[in-house]
Amino acid sequence: MPRFSVSFRIMGDELDPDAVSRVLNLKPTEAHRKGDARIAPAGRKYAAFDEGLWSLNSESKESAPLEEHLAGLLRNLSARKKDLSALRKKGYRQD
């Protein structure tokens, strides 16, 4: 049986994850600023992050159909189109 994981990401050199959270009124699944330390769960250190990230994962189980993952993210993001557009105009990439 296939397993899925879906996320929506906002990235940029000057991205402030806390500011993005305030604009979208959402808590990210993962977030960091450019220059933050990158440390693996086992404690191994890597080069610092080279850009900021704000990421929101779907809340569905990996065994859920892909359509369920996508629908869940769209429910969270569709009401925030204007805010997402404003973030894009600031030069932040989204995927």
Side-chain angles (χ1 to χ4, degrees):
M1 174 173 244
R3 302 178 74 72
F4 299 101
S5 174
V6 176
S7 62
F8 175 76
R9 303 180 307 167
I10 303 172
M11 300 150 291
D13 282 346
E14 302 300 320
L15 185 129
D16 175 358
D18 295 331
V20 172
S21 293
R22 283 190 300 274
V23 167
L24 297 178
N25 197 29
L26 288 171
K27 181 179 177 183
T29 307
E30 180 183 350
H32 59 259
R33 287 177 175 79
K34 179 179 180 176
D36 282 355
R38 185 184 307 191
I39 303 172
R44 184 174 178 190
K45 294 181 181 180
Y46 295 91
F49 288 105
D50 59 356
E51 67 179 348
L53 171 77
W54 186 98
S55 179
L56 182 66
N57 294 350
S58 79
E59 296 176 352
S60 299
K61 294 181 181 181
E62 287 185 353
S63 59
L66 178 59
E67 295 81 7
E68 183 178 316
H69 286 270
L70 294 170
L73 277 178
L74 287 173
R75 273 192 304 275
N76 277 326
L77 298 171
S78 63
R80 296 165 169 88
K81 288 180 186 178
K82 288 182 182 179
D83 296 325
L84 292 169
S85 179
L87 291 168
R88 258 192 317 276
K89 288 178 183 175
K90 288 185 175 188
Y92 301 141
R93 296 183 326 282
Q94 300 174 13
D95 67 13

